[in-house]
Each structure stands twice: as C-alpha cells, then as structure tokens.
Amino acid sequence: MINNKNIAELSAMDISDLSDWIKELPSHLSSKQYSIAKEIIKEISVRLQFLLDVGLNYLSLNRSSKSLSGGEAQRIRLATQIGSELVGVLYILDEPSIGLHQRDNQKLIQSLKTLRDVGNSVIVVEHDKDMIEQANHILDIGPYAGKNGGTIISQGGPKELLKAKTLTAAYLNGELAIEIPKKRRKGNGKFIEIKGCTGNNLKNVTVKIPLGMMVGITGVSGSGKSTLINETLYPILNNYYFNGVKEPLPYKSIEGLEHLDKVIDINQTPIGRTPRSNPATYTGVFSEIRSLFAKIPEAQIRGYKPGRFSFNVSGGRCETCKGGGLRVIEMNFLPDVYVQCESCMGKRFNRETLEIRYKGKSISDVLNMTIDEAVDFFDQIPKIYRKLKTIKDVGLGYITLGQQSTTLSGGEAQRIKLASELSKRDTGNTIYILDEPTTGLHFEDIRVLLNVLQKLVDKGNTVLIIEHNMDVIKAVDYILDIGLEGGQGGGTIIARGTPENMVKNKVSHTAKYLKKELF
Amino acid sequence: MKNFDEYIEVKGARVHNLKNIDVNIPRNQLVVITGLSGSGKSSLAFDTIYAEGQRRYIETFSAYARQFLGSLERPDVDKIDGLSPVIAIEQKTTSKSPRSTVGTITEVYDFLRLLYARAADVYSYKTNEKMVSYHDDQIKSLIVESYDNKRISILAPLVRSRKGHYRELFEQIAKQGFVKVRVDGEVVNITPGMRLDRYKVHDIEVVIDRLKIDEKTMASKRLKDSILMALNQGDDVMMVLAEAEKKPRFFSRNLMCPTTGLSYPNPEPNNFSFNSPKGACLECNGIGSIYKVNINKIIPDPQLSIKNGGLAPQGPQKNSWIFKQLDLIAQRFNFTLSDPISKIPKEAMDLILFGGKDKFSVANKTLGLSREYAIDFDGIANFIEHQYKTTDSSSIKRWAKRYMDKIECPSCQGTRLKKKHCIL
C-alpha cells in the first residue's frame, strides 16, 4: 500500500485523479522510499501528462482496451509516441480528431505541434477545420472522389488554401456552408422515456427522447453518450423488437416502446476486409442482379441458376483465378506479384457465363459499372434500382459495383454500410441510431449525408445521432447534452432542447461551441 | 541531396486512384492532407508514403529474416526521396484481447507495478498490520529495546502447520547440538527416538538460545550470534518468545506480519501483473470477470413444469437419460415432472441443479418386491459450467453461455489480482 491506496484502487482512478495523486505522492513517502521511487514517479507522471495532453483525462488504467473507441485508442498511441521522444521521424495519423469534442481538439492539435517542434514531421489526414487552419502546409486532393479524384488541386499554407478554388477552400472561407435548417421539426409528440440508467458513469439518468425528429446526443468524450445510447437504449430496443441477446446496462424502466416498430443501428465497425467483398455483394444488390441474369431467356434455356453468376462458387466463375480476376504469383521473399488472370482477362467468369447478356452487358460488364451508370441501367428493376439509388444518394455514385472492399476508403466503407441499412424498407416508425456518422467525411460529404438523414426523418422516422461535429449538431432538431465532464465528472443530462434553446445553457461545453456556429 | 532536409519528394504516385502525382511535402512541419472522402488522401499518406517507409525498413533485414515477416507490396510510385523512418498511428490497431487495458498499452501500469514492488508498505491481509522486514542488526536492536530486563527464548521455526512424525528431524537437530524444541507451543527437551503424532498438524521450532536481556547484551556477541544462527536455521525467519508470554513475535529478513508470522516473499513487479501467474487472481486468471451459471436463465418461469420445458437447457420432456434421472429424483422426493417447478421441494431442486448421489428403493406393489435405484446426477448447472470450461467447440460454448452471466470475479472483486498482492 502506498499512501493508503493499493494498486487496484489506483487502476480504478481516472487519469486526471491519478496524476494528482502521483504529484502529491513524494510528500507522503519516507526519504528511503522516495529515493527508490523518484525515477519511477517521474516516469509515471510524464506519461500521465501526455495522456492528459491528448484529452484522455477521463480514462482509467483498468479500462479494457476492447471498449475504447478508435479515436481514443489512436490518441493513446499518440501519447505513447510523444513520450518516446524520438526525433527525425515521420508520423502519419489518420483523423486523430475522431470522437473528440471541440473542447479537447485544441489539446490534440497542441500535442501534434509538440511532436513537430521536437524535430519530427507530422502528416495528418484530416477534415477538421481547426486542424486545417493551424497546419503549416496543406495538401488538398481531389477535385472529386474516386475516378474523378487523385490529383493535387491545391498546396500551401492555410492562407493560400483559402484563396484556392477547391471545395475544401469554399467551405473554409464560407462560400459554401452546411446550412442550418430554417425550421426545426416539432416531432410527432411521442416519446420514449427511459428511467434510472446507472450503467458505467451514468448517474441515475432519466431521459425523454422525442420521436419523429432528428435527435443529437452530444457531450465531451467519455461523458456517457455511448453508454446511454449504445449500451442501454439500443440493447433494450433490440431485445424488444428482435429478441436480441445483448444485455442492456442497468435501468429501471422504459416507456413508449409501442410508438416504434424497428431499430436500425449503424455503428463504426468496418465492413468486410476481403478482396472478394465489394459494394454489390455487401449491400446485397448483387444477389438481385444474379437472379435477374438467371431469368434471361438464354440463361433459362441453358439452365443457369443465380449461383452460376457468382464469382465465389465454382460453376460460372473462371477456374484459373477462382473468380478473383487476378492471379497471385508468390515470389517467396520478394513481394507477391498480382497479374491479370490470363484465361478470363480479369473478367472473373468463364466464357459461357459471359455469353449471357442483359441489355447487351455481361455480368462482368455490370461489375465494372459505376453506381451512377448502374442506376440508369437498372431503372426498370425496382428492387435493384432502389438499392443502387441509396448508394448514389449517400454520395458514392462514382464507385464501381465490383470494386474490392479493401480499396474503399474508411468513409466510403462506412457509407456503403449506411446505404445498405437505409435501403431496407423504413416503416415510418423506425428509429435509426448512428454513432458518429461523419467519421472520415469531408464537409461536402457531410452535407450529402445530412440530406439523406433529413429525408428519413421527413418520412416520420426518428434518427438518433451521437456526434461531436458541430455541422451536424446545428442541423438536428433536438439536442440532448450529456456531461458535464468525461468519466466520473459526467453521466448527467445537462441540457436539452432545440439548438437555439440549448445554446442558452451556461455550463454546457457543447453550448459554448455551438453558439459560434449558430450566430 | 539539395533539399532532402526540407522536403519529402514523391514522384509519380499511382496507387489506387492517384493520377501519377508529384508532390513535395515539407519536413518538420505539421502537414494536413484533406479532400473529399475517397479522393485519395489515404492512398497518398498510408498506401504510398507509409507503405514505402515500411518496405524500406523491412528491406534492411536479411533475406532470411524477411521470409518470416511476410513481404510488403511495393507501392506504385516512381520515386520517394527524403523519407524518414515512418510511424503510422492508425485507428484500427487496438488489441481486442481482454487482457489489454489502458494501463498496459500506455505502460503506466508497468511503472506502477515497479513502484509498488519497490516502495510500497505491505499490510497483512489477515490482520491489516503493516508488514516489516529487518536485517540482522535491526532485529538485534529491536530485541534489546523491547525485551529489556526480560528472559527470552530465541526460536527458529522449522515446521509450520504440517503433518508428520518428524523423527528424523529431531535426530538431526539433536546432532547439531540443540537440546530443546518447541512443539505446538510447548517447550520440550529432545529425547532419543522422539516422534509426534503422524496424522496431526504440527508447528516445530528449535530453541536456539535462552538469555536475559540487560544493558550488557547490546555489546556482547551472544545475541548477535544467536540471531544469525536462528535466521539460518529458520530460513530467514526467527521468533522471540519472552518468558511468561504465550505469543512469540516474528522477525524476518523477508516481509512478515509480526503477530501471525504470515510471510510474503519480497514483492516483485510480477506479483502485481494480472498477466503473470504470479499475480493473477486464481479464480478468473486475471480477466476480472467470470462466467457463472444463472439459475434464473435455466428456470425462466418457475410456474412451468419440467415436463413442459421448465428447465430451459433440457426443453420439454423427451425420452432421454436425463429425463429418466429427473424422473427418479421426482420419485425420490415425491413429486411428479408435471408439477410446476415452484412446487418442487428445495432439496430436490438442489439435486437437479447442482447434482449429488443418492440411493433409495422403490417398492413394486404388483410384484411384491422392492428395487434399489441409484441416483448419480451431475446437476444441470454443473454440467453447463463444465461444458463451458472444457469444450473445444464454439457452438457448445455459445450454448452454455446462454445460461450464464458474466459477473465480476468474486474472489478478486474485479481487481484481477491475488488478494494478498492487492492489499500491498
């Protein structure tokens, strides 16, 4: 025991408390103990300070790393890296600001600057406005996405960027903006009320969630947003509507379940990472296309079933490359080389299968279409059309149906997922739960996404968004702000209401930043 | 070499959708790459610059070493100059192991372990007293201080709470020239052929010395020698028993509780690690939570009878061994399988859930004889738990989990550590 605490008690403290405890420690130690502990204490307090610097004060040491969000895990690694004090290293970070409240963002930028100032190069892939404005140098890649991107459209300091004629610049200098809706929806007057939630740091929270509008759940990192929504509300709904097995965290009672009939959760887990997965297979549209091909007279004459048009089972696929279109040549200790399959020329199917054509296109030609082309091509087939249209609506018109999932960017993959959920028929009484849907999205992408979500709400559905991004928060109809701080300092609802009413709150951190956006 | 200090030069990058781009990225600056989702930001940063950095690093290994590393694809780029060692901090690198915590990935916990191993005060988990370790001179001065003008015996513990007759031990002690031992609290002379009750638990200490402490003791060599001797005999532990006192006091070169003699080895950082067998709680192996059978999940509705599927893992009655056993139990305790579970006597339910052995006879009236039946039932709850722990099949594991709850480990209260280390 040291200073009346054992090691398990220390692990349970959050990092800011632990840091205070360590700072006070020397005065509680005997001189012998101190001389032993001096170096260790120094090391611990330095590391804790790095963690505080990247805004992770609310975590505790015994928190399982399984339960960390992607952004949190990344910032922990960042803190460890800053602690290593290497110089001359090139650091590459992928959107470190994800999941970070505006308040903590500045801390993060500061720690990146520290990393730079000790003599390292830092490259950040980022959409965050503050980060862009404080960078030394900015590369803007575009102008659009996919086939229409891939060139550098502007380069230089923040000031030069503002003058450039690019989408990013337009949003930064205010030429374009994500609009604040003129009218906030009133909702349908119904509520879901969940009472007495006590999971993790929640302090007996009772919350009324209005239905029929877009509801934003905000609050600094670690304040308990995910605990309330993902760990308590969603499992309850999922149990109720679909007999889900996950146990919700403790709560007393819930009312108003009868006002809804379906819950759809769109979370941050990535979609398949095998080269055989592609947008068409993931959204399920490929099954429909295969059924369509099997119904073509020529296919019926030959007795082809939908399986014939799959590149994952033998029958119709090219057996040389097993439907991959590419062949791997192993070079032992040199990198593997991929060559186009010589027998199908990358078409993935055998000759007989390719002879079946719909409107003059073979199944392989269809896979090489962009979504935009495919939407026009299949406009007569409602099932296929509807699914493709949702992919187009989330702004992914440029990807091809057969593009391997491994080559999709993080934001693209997430939107595919979103599209496949959105293409499920909404009932008008559906509740959608989205956890930080703007992850990896550019301003322009966010605008497109918001349009899709607004349309859903217009049909009477409820959309629940856990979000830090102010552009989204300002566009919702109703805000629930959880706080005040992260960890033990959080877990209560501190503000609720329309964005306009909510900003009047004096204590909420979100309100403070939202005010800047609204006025 | 002109501007390597200032720029990372990328020439002709064509990874994914990049259109053969040339770019100079300033070094030692904070550079942001932005653009629409899917425009090629990650392709440039990760799939070109980072991939090339990694590849070059791996190339520095011998061909032999490389075959174990797996090879990295050369990114489709003409040339990258001025590249420093690259570290990517991505988002998907978190470990999904239940053993990984914030403390371990930040390595703060490793330092805390060190701190506790080297600078903590130790408290006995039995008495909550501070545990102490002494070196020989400290023991001496402590004895002189606290036993002033008292007659004391210095003892060296040899056997602590173990069974045996210890005849050889007494012979050995006698050969070394000691004449007295303290057996189970009684000081006795060693007699030839002395032996103890073999089936009882004994404590044996050898009496090293008996002396009176006064002002001369400090200077004399006798006490010091006796202490040394006692510590050698007692494996770094010795006891002091004052005349007319019952309880001896313990002194040790290791950490020890002075009243009970409970001793710990000097703590090592390992003892605080829940990933080491030396520190992990034995019940949950350092995970902090265990799966335990939840009776309420086995019997979701006590109003249901066993016949109608009241025992969820068994389902409704079928012609199986288990139901025959259940039927036997029912006969034994005078209920039937169609009774609602809430009506079944508690004893019988305990047998059904947690198993047991029983024998009873059933008289068959028509034949006029009685037959012995033996019940040997594992218990449904035990069976589920056993299946969960031993099976290799993930589907059986999933089946068992349906009737189990994840609960905080009862023996370490979720701290993941052995109790005795936790209190350190």
Side-chain angles (χ1 to χ4, degrees):
Chain A
M1 222 179 257
I2 297 180
N3 191 14
N4 287 324
K5 293 266 183 224
N6 67 40
I7 194 162
E9 288 169 321
L10 286 190
S11 312
M13 281 177 160
D14 61 36
I15 285 176
S16 48
D17 291 344
L18 183 61
S19 172
D20 293 344
W21 185 85
I22 286 282
K23 272 183 203 133
E24 270 178 30
L25 187 58
S27 59
H28 294 283
L29 291 177
S30 69
S31 64
K32 181 183 153 219
Q33 280 175 322
Y34 182 65
S35 60
I36 300 170
K38 206 167 107 190
E39 287 301 311
I40 310 176
I41 292 176
K42 202 171 95 191
E43 199 66 38
I44 295 177
S45 52
V46 167
R47 274 161 203 266
L48 291 178
Q49 192 55 49
F50 290 133
L51 287 171
L52 292 179
D53 287 347
V54 293
L56 292 171
N57 53 321
Y58 57 89
L59 291 178
S60 64
L61 292 187
N62 64 5
R63 172 88 175 261
S64 162
S65 54
K66 253 200 301 196
S67 66
L68 297 173
S69 76
E72 284 168 341
Q74 193 188 26
R75 288 195 291 279
I76 288 180
R77 273 203 70 198
L78 180 64
T80 325
Q81 283 302 332
I82 302 173
S84 73
E85 292 180 346
L86 288 168
V87 292
V89 176
L90 172 63
Y91 287 99
I92 303 186
L93 289 94
D94 193 5
E95 298 197 55
S97 71
I98 289 173
L100 204 56
H101 193 264
Q102 289 284 315
R103 185 187 62 142
D104 299 326
N105 209 355
Q106 201 49 47
K107 286 189 193 163
L108 174 74
I109 297 175
Q110 200 49 51
S111 49
L112 290 178
K113 284 184 177 165
T114 319
L115 205 53
R116 172 198 68 192
D117 293 340
V118 296
N120 296 298
S121 315
V122 183
I123 297 182
V124 190
V125 176
E126 186 60 276
H127 303 286
D128 182 76
K129 202 170 169 181
D130 296 330
M131 185 81 81
I132 294 174
E133 278 167 358
Q134 296 188 45
N136 299 104
H137 193 90
I138 296 145
L139 295 175
D140 195 0
I141 299 189
Y144 299 101
K147 286 181 181 172
N148 310 319
T151 51
I152 294 193
I153 47 177
S154 86
Q155 186 176 5
K159 286 196 183 116
E160 291 137 56
L161 179 80
L162 286 179
K163 286 178 209 133
K165 288 267 169 283
T166 69
L167 270 175
T168 314
Y171 276 101
L172 284 179
N173 62 23
E175 269 174 43
L176 282 172
I178 292 169
E179 289 199 6
I180 303 169
K182 296 203 175 61
K183 256 172 88 178
R184 306 282 179 193
R185 289 183 197 82
K186 292 270 185 298
N188 54 16
K190 293 172 186 158
F191 293 92
I192 273 198
E193 185 169 20
I194 172 164
K195 287 184 182 161
C197 305
T198 48
N200 290 346
N201 64 347
L202 293 182
K203 303 205 172 72
N204 201 5
V205 168
T206 293
V207 61
K208 255 186 172 180
I209 297 165
L211 302 179
M213 38 170 136
M214 194 187 282
V215 181
I217 314 287
T218 61
V220 297
S221 307
S223 61
K225 304 182 296 297
S226 298
T227 309
L228 180 65
I229 304 302
N230 292 344
E231 308 282 329
T232 312
L233 181 66
Y234 175 66
I236 296 174
L237 297 176
N238 203 26
N239 279 346
Y240 186 80
Y241 301 115
F242 305 121
N243 289 323
V245 283
K246 199 179 166 210
E247 284 286 315
L249 290 175
Y251 68 102
K252 282 212 188 77
S253 62
I254 184 157
E255 281 162 33
L257 288 176
E258 65 277 9
H259 304 312
L260 297 170
D261 51 19
K262 202 169 164 189
V263 55
I264 291 176
D265 175 47
I266 303 168
N267 56 25
Q268 297 169 325
T269 49
I271 71 170
R273 280 274 166 215
T274 92
R276 288 194 179 268
S277 159
N278 61 41
T281 57
Y282 186 82
T283 55
V285 69
F286 197 51
S287 314
E288 305 289 347
I289 294 177
R290 287 188 351 230
S291 309
L292 175 71
F293 268 82
K295 283 187 195 129
I296 295 169
E298 180 65 23
Q300 302 230 311
I301 291 167
R302 299 192 190 184
Y304 288 173
K305 295 264 168 350
R308 178 91 198 181
F309 302 96
S310 160
F311 50 82
N312 288 330
V313 292
S314 57
R317 70 178 178 190
C318 164
E319 279 306 317
T320 317
C321 58
K322 303 258 185 273
L326 297 170
R327 285 215 321 152
V328 185
I329 296 177
E330 283 181 33
M331 309 283 274
N332 293 324
F333 49 78
L334 281 174
D336 292 348
V337 174
Y338 290 91
V339 294
Q340 202 178 51
C341 171
E342 64 272 27
S343 49
C344 65
M345 310 312 269
K347 289 197 162 77
R348 314 176 87 168
F349 294 91
N350 59 26
R351 189 174 52 79
E352 291 76 19
T353 315
L354 292 173
E355 279 167 9
I356 310 294
R357 284 167 187 272
Y358 172 75
K359 287 207 217 163
K361 299 270 187 193
S362 73
I363 185 89
S364 172
D365 296 333
V366 170
L367 283 178
N368 286 328
M369 280 183 193
T370 64
I371 302 285
D372 283 338
E373 288 163 5
V375 167
D376 296 336
F377 187 72
F378 288 111
D379 61 349
Q380 302 299 317
I381 320 287
K383 266 187 180 168
I384 301 175
Y385 173 77
R386 203 163 51 83
K387 283 191 173 154
L388 292 174
K389 185 74 171 39
T390 27
I391 305 180
K392 188 179 169 176
D393 286 345
V394 294
L396 291 176
Y398 57 88
I399 60 172
T400 64
L401 280 172
Q403 187 173 352
Q404 295 172 359
S405 288
T406 45
T407 62
L408 293 173
S409 79
E412 285 170 338
Q414 198 197 16
R415 277 186 290 169
I416 294 269
K417 197 169 174 176
L418 188 65
S420 92
E421 292 295 343
L422 296 182
S423 67
K424 291 179 184 162
R425 236 173 234 299
D426 64 285
T427 54
N429 286 318
T430 306
I431 181 162
Y432 293 85
I433 296 178
L434 292 92
D435 194 354
E436 296 192 45
T438 59
T439 303
L441 299 190
H442 188 259
F443 304 106
E444 176 69 13
D445 302 318
I446 295 176
R447 192 182 60 79
V448 174
L449 177 74
L450 275 174
N451 281 345
V452 178
L453 295 177
Q454 296 286 12
K455 269 186 216 156
L456 277 177
V457 182
D458 286 339
K459 287 188 201 155
N461 300 301
T462 308
V463 173
L464 209 59
I465 310 178
I466 302 175
E467 190 53 273
H468 294 290
N469 187 307
M470 286 301 154
D471 289 324
V472 175
I473 296 174
K474 71 185 184 192
V476 301
D477 303 311
Y478 191 88
I479 296 177
L480 283 169
D481 193 37
I482 303 181
L484 185 61
E485 303 292 332
Q488 283 315 311
T492 48
I493 305 260
I494 46 170
R496 64 185 88 195
T498 61
E500 281 76 15
N501 285 329
M502 200 279 217
V503 292
K504 292 178 192 144
N505 190 298
K506 292 279 186 318
V507 284
S508 161
H509 292 295
T510 312
K512 206 165 79 193
Y513 290 95
L514 187 59
K515 214 176 220 166
K516 288 186 202 155
E517 295 289 328
L518 279 178
F519 305 109
Chain B
M1 299 304 282
K2 48 196 181 340
N3 47 14
F4 286 177
D5 288 342
E6 295 156 44
Y7 292 108
I8 299 163
E9 268 189 79
V10 180
K11 284 243 160 74
R14 288 175 299 273
V15 176
H16 296 163
N17 62 349
L18 294 182
K19 300 208 174 102
N20 201 9
I21 56 176
D22 302 340
V23 61
N24 285 351
I25 297 172
R27 293 168 59 89
N28 300 329
Q29 305 265 292
L30 179 58
V31 181
V32 169
I33 302 182
T34 186
L36 261 67
S37 180
S39 61
K41 304 178 302 296
S42 300
S43 298
L44 178 62
F46 286 96
D47 300 326
T48 310
I49 299 176
Y50 176 60
E52 178 68 7
Q54 278 292 296
R55 197 186 60 82
R56 286 192 197 171
Y57 174 59
I58 301 249
E59 300 262 287
T60 60
F61 294 127
S62 66
Y64 176 75
R66 260 182 282 156
Q67 71 181 15
F68 301 113
L69 292 167
S71 45
L72 291 163
E73 224 174 305
R74 176 188 274 278
D76 192 0
V77 59
D78 292 340
K79 190 170 95 171
I80 300 183
D81 279 335
L83 197 58
S84 326
V86 189
I87 294 175
I89 305 179
E90 286 177 86
Q91 302 200 341
K92 51 191 170 206
T93 45
T94 46
S95 150
K96 294 290 174 213
S97 155
R99 292 188 177 275
S100 167
T101 66
V102 172
T104 56
I105 39 182
T106 54
E107 291 162 26
V108 172
Y109 194 74
D110 300 330
F111 285 100
L112 276 182
R113 272 162 46 201
L114 194 62
L115 182 68
Y116 269 82
R118 299 284 177 255
D121 300 331
V122 186
Y123 291 83
S124 160
Y125 71 84
K126 281 190 182 153
T127 57
N128 266 335
E129 274 179 81
K130 192 168 167 178
M131 301 183 88
V132 275
S133 71
Y134 301 108
H135 42 85
D136 311 356
D137 286 338
Q138 273 179 321
I139 299 180
K140 185 179 171 186
S141 42
L142 264 168
I143 292 179
V144 172
E145 246 172 62
S146 41
Y147 293 96
D148 197 18
N149 272 323
K150 280 184 183 158
R151 291 193 64 86
I152 59 162
S153 310
I154 291 177
L155 312 169
L158 298 178
V159 173
R160 295 174 73 185
S161 311
R162 298 198 62 160
K163 288 177 187 174
H165 54 70
Y166 296 111
R167 195 164 57 89
E168 294 87 352
L169 182 77
F170 291 125
E171 266 173 30
Q172 216 185 342
I173 301 171
K175 268 185 200 156
Q176 286 177 14
F178 297 108
V179 289
K180 279 178 189 290
V181 285
R182 183 171 177 263
V183 177
D184 300 330
E186 295 286 324
V187 179
V188 292
N189 286 325
I190 302 180
T191 51
M194 178 172 160
R195 55 189 297 165
L196 302 174
D197 188 337
R198 188 172 178 172
Y199 300 106
K200 281 198 175 140
V201 178
H202 300 291
D203 293 302
I204 302 172
E205 296 99 31
V206 54
V207 179
I208 304 286
D209 197 2
R210 301 210 287 172
L211 72 166
K212 184 168 191 261
I213 305 292
D214 51 34
E215 52 282 8
K216 278 178 282 178
T217 332
M218 195 65 200
S220 85
K221 251 187 102 203
R222 178 170 166 186
L223 180 58
K224 171 98 197 217
D225 284 348
S226 301
I227 291 172
L228 223 79
M229 174 70 84
L231 287 173
N232 284 344
Q233 289 285 336
D235 223 0
D236 288 349
V237 180
M238 58 167 282
M239 295 147 84
V240 172
L241 184 67
E243 204 164 62
E245 269 179 43
K246 275 273 149 57
K247 288 230 157 191
R249 180 169 167 188
F250 285 84
F251 294 93
S252 171
R253 285 174 179 157
N254 294 328
L255 284 169
M256 173 160 280
C257 168
T259 46
T260 55
L262 181 78
S263 150
Y264 294 157
N266 275 328
E268 289 298 320
N270 268 352
N271 296 132
F272 300 99
S273 162
F274 46 83
N275 290 331
S276 150
K278 283 190 170 169
C281 165
L282 295 173
E283 180 111 15
C284 59
N285 285 325
I287 303 289
S289 59
I290 53 171
Y291 277 93
K292 202 132 187 117
V293 173
N294 183 345
I295 301 298
N296 294 334
K297 283 186 178 170
I298 296 181
I299 309 168
D301 179 6
Q303 298 312 318
L304 233 56
S305 70
I306 292 181
K307 203 171 185 173
N308 290 331
L311 296 173
Q314 305 309 333
Q317 184 166 23
K318 37 188 184 276
N319 194 14
S320 69
W321 180 84
I322 283 208
F323 277 97
K324 281 183 188 141
Q325 284 285 317
L326 291 174
D327 197 39
L328 273 181
I329 296 172
Q331 286 183 40
R332 168 74 179 80
F333 290 95
N334 289 322
F335 65 94
T336 68
L337 293 188
S338 356
D339 291 343
I341 288 182
S342 55
K343 294 265 166 62
I344 296 175
K346 195 181 171 300
E347 246 181 300
M349 252 357 261
D350 280 353
L351 188 60
I352 290 173
L353 292 172
F354 303 109
K357 285 183 180 172
D358 204 351
K359 255 193 188 152
F360 71 107
S361 54
V362 177
N364 189 321
K365 276 169 196 155
T366 40
L367 288 174
L369 20 104
S370 69
R371 205 181 140 186
E372 285 275 305
Y373 281 101
I375 298 173
D376 183 357
F377 195 58
D378 273 347
I380 291 170
N382 288 350
F383 177 75
I384 291 172
E385 202 159 312
H386 181 77
Q387 285 293 319
Y388 178 74
K389 277 184 188 151
T390 52
T391 184
D392 290 329
S393 139
S394 59
S395 65
I396 290 188
K397 223 171 192 150
R398 217 177 313 133
W399 171 82
K401 255 190 189 174
R402 283 196 358 227
Y403 305 106
M404 299 175 101
D405 270 344
K406 193 177 179 182
I407 58 163
E408 201 173 65
C409 170
S411 80
C412 64
Q413 271 98 42
T415 59
R416 300 166 167 230
L417 296 172
K418 282 184 190 163
K419 198 167 179 195
K420 66 174 185 185
H421 299 309
C422 198
I423 201 109
L424 291 173

